[in-house]
Structure formats: C-alpha cells, structure tokens
Amino acid sequence: MQGIGNDYIYIDALKGEYPDYLEENKIPELTRKISDRHFGVGSDGLILILPSDNADFSMRIFNADGSEAKMCGNGIRCVGKYVFDLGFTDKKKLTVETASGVKSLELLIDKEGEVENVIVDMGSPFFRRGYIPAQGNPEDEMLNEKLESAGRVFVITGVGMGNPHGVVYVDDVNNLPLNEIGPGLESHPVWPDRANIEFVKIINPEELQVRVWERGSGETMACGTGACASAVASYRKGYTGREVTVHLRGGDLKISYDVENNNVRMTGPAKFVCKGKFYI
C-alpha cells in the first residue's frame, strides 16, 4: 500500500498468532529482504497490522534497514483503509495504537464505499530537546541550530512528532544532493536516536514544498510526520498560517495546527498497490 508514494509492505497479523517469520529476532532481516527493490518486493519498510488491548487496532513500523520506528503518518492512513475496506471494522472513526501512543482516525469514504482519504489526529508536536529528542538542555528548544554534513552547514529547527525531525529551510529543494547530505544530518551526534530531515521551501503562507530524508530508509516520496513537523515549524517561525498544503514528491497532504491545544491533524489518501506471497 502507499500514501502519496510512501510505500510499505503490510502484513496482516490480526489473528494475533505470529508465524515463524514474524518472531521478534527475524523481523529486521525480513524487513531488509522484503524492502529491497531489486531482490525483494520493494518498499520504504514493513508494517504489521495487529490487534490491540488499548485501541481498535495496533501497528508496528520497521524502516527499510530493519530498525523499528514509532510512528508513520502515511502508514497509519493505509492501516485505516486496510481494516475498513477488508471488513475488519465498519467504524468510520477508529483508533490505532502505535509506539508513540494511540492515534485517532476519521475515514472519508468514496461513492464505491471504500476509504479514499483519512484524517489523522497526529497528537502534539514537541519543541523541547528532551522530548524531540536532541542533545543539550532538555528544557531548551532546538531553534536555528547549525549542523554540518558533507562539508556544508545547515540551520536546523527540531520538532518531535512521536519521532524526531530536523527542519531545514532552503531556496531550492529540487536540486539538493540528498544522498550526499542526508546521511550526515540523519546521524549527526545531536540526535541520540537519529532523525528524519525535512528540506522545506516556503511557497506562500498556505503552501510548502518539502523533500524528506527518512532515518533508516533514505529519501522517500513522502513522510506524514515530516509534513506535520514542517508545517508546525513554519507556523512558529511566522512563515505560514495554521493550515497549509504540503507538496511532497509523491503528492499533497493537508496539515492543520490547532495552536491553542497544540494538536496537529493530517489529511491525505491511502491506496492499495498489490497483494501476494513473498518467498522467504
């Protein structure tokens, strides 16, 4: 499945009985194999759809390198589409447990009775270093911090969206050599758990253009939490209003920031691509 080009392989584990290949120590290698675009299916990672004691469903997300992530905005929309379209629920408002907490989804249904778009309550963004997380005084915000990568210096604003993000403002996102600068910024010592890096161009107060370097996966076509981090950082810097359209390489996301309650909502599509068997 894919959400504006951010594609994952989804495994239905809703019965709660893990087969041998989903034993905990085997998941990282399975993820690396299945995500390989030459020797596997090809994806930005692996997502398991699971039962939950605390929500309607739960999900686990693994990056293409086998590391586990806490949250994926595009991925959770696809989980909502999967469980509704395949008849696991008839709820149009449901909850999904993630490693960064329980998230609420509102499913928008097309005329064929299938999920077309999903509104996700992404929760609260964090600005203090201790919550992003980033090195330094845990009570301080990470604003205009200079980090070096590939011999260049970038000014970073840190935002936590259940996972760490570094937002960089540039005049031209299209010609950036992300394969050169992305790894160094992702793995900079300031990030104890590495970070996702967003390269943002301000188009106008209602629109952003963003390219994403995701930790553990490299450049992806889109990142839901990254779009939220970019929108929130841009509002706080006075570049945009509370509602923006974020243009990513795979498509657009609508982001709304409720400043009074420090809460972010994201709206975007979810699509099936294919289904089949993977021969381990």
Side-chain angles (χ1 to χ4, degrees):
M1 303 184 74
Q2 57 91 5
I4 59 171
N6 195 193
D7 60 335
Y8 287 85
I9 304 300
Y10 293 77
I11 294 181
D12 181 343
L14 287 168
K15 293 181 179 179
E17 298 177 359
Y18 282 20
D20 290 345
Y21 60 81
L22 287 184
E23 291 177 1
E24 196 67 29
N25 63 335
K26 296 181 180 179
I27 296 177
E29 180 60 23
L30 171 63
T31 302
R32 289 189 288 270
K33 286 182 177 179
I34 207 168
S35 300
D36 191 297
R37 297 188 186 275
H38 298 286
F39 296 99
V41 180
S43 68
D44 292 326
L46 176 71
I47 291 180
L48 307 182
I49 305 175
L50 306 156
S52 172
D53 294 329
N54 304 310
D56 294 311
F57 302 94
S58 70
M59 63 185 284
R60 292 180 69 187
I61 311 106
F62 296 86
N63 300 312
D65 67 355
S67 60
E68 187 165 4
K70 289 186 175 182
M71 174 57 186
C72 175
N74 292 313
I76 200 171
R77 295 201 312 275
C78 290
V79 170
K81 180 175 177 64
Y82 184 94
V83 297
F84 184 90
D85 285 7
L86 273 65
F88 291 100
T89 184
D90 60 359
K91 293 182 178 181
K92 295 180 182 178
K93 293 185 177 181
L94 53 89
T95 55
V96 177
E97 183 180 5
T98 75
S100 67
V102 175
K103 308 299 181 184
S104 298
L105 278 61
E106 182 178 349
L107 310 180
L108 306 180
I109 312 303
D110 65 16
K111 60 184 179 181
E112 280 77 36
E114 297 179 345
V115 174
E116 183 174 24
N117 289 282
V118 180
I119 303 171
V120 183
D121 185 337
M122 298 291 286
S124 297
F126 298 104
F127 307 105
R128 295 179 182 179
R129 290 175 178 269
Y131 294 96
I132 294 175
Q135 300 289 354
N137 186 330
E139 296 301 313
D140 288 346
E141 295 189 0
M142 186 179 182
L143 298 171
N144 302 323
E145 181 140 346
K146 294 181 179 179
L147 303 182
E148 184 176 345
S149 178
R152 299 174 60 176
V153 175
F154 298 88
V155 179
I156 303 281
T157 296
V159 181
M161 282 300 313
N163 49 10
H165 291 269
V167 179
V168 183
Y169 292 95
V170 296
D171 294 327
D172 179 8
V173 299
N174 295 318
N175 295 308
L176 283 174
L178 259 61
N179 287 330
E180 297 176 16
I181 60 179
L185 292 176
E186 170 195 352
S187 302
H188 193 280
V190 75
W191 314 111
D193 300 322
R194 297 184 295 168
N196 305 279
I197 308 298
E198 283 74 47
F199 299 88
V200 180
K201 177 183 178 180
I202 306 295
I203 299 176
N204 57 53
E206 289 81 38
E207 294 179 277
L208 304 176
Q209 182 183 5
V210 179
R211 282 178 71 185
V212 181
W213 182 269
E214 288 200 55
R215 61 175 177 175
S217 294
E219 184 175 11
T220 58
M221 298 292 286
C223 176
T225 56
C228 293
S230 300
V232 169
S234 299
Y235 173 81
R236 284 173 61 86
K237 283 180 166 291
Y239 298 147
T240 62
R242 301 182 183 195
E243 297 187 3
V244 297
T245 298
V246 180
H247 303 290
L248 299 122
R249 299 193 81 181
D252 297 345
L253 293 174
K254 302 284 188 181
I255 309 298
S256 176
Y257 182 29
D258 180 348
V259 180
E260 287 75 14
N261 296 303
N262 193 34
N263 184 266
V264 182
R265 288 165 64 87
M266 170 191 66
T267 303
K271 305 285 186 182
F272 281 105
V273 176
C274 63
K275 63 179 180 178
K277 295 180 179 179
F278 182 70
Y279 296 94
I280 299 171

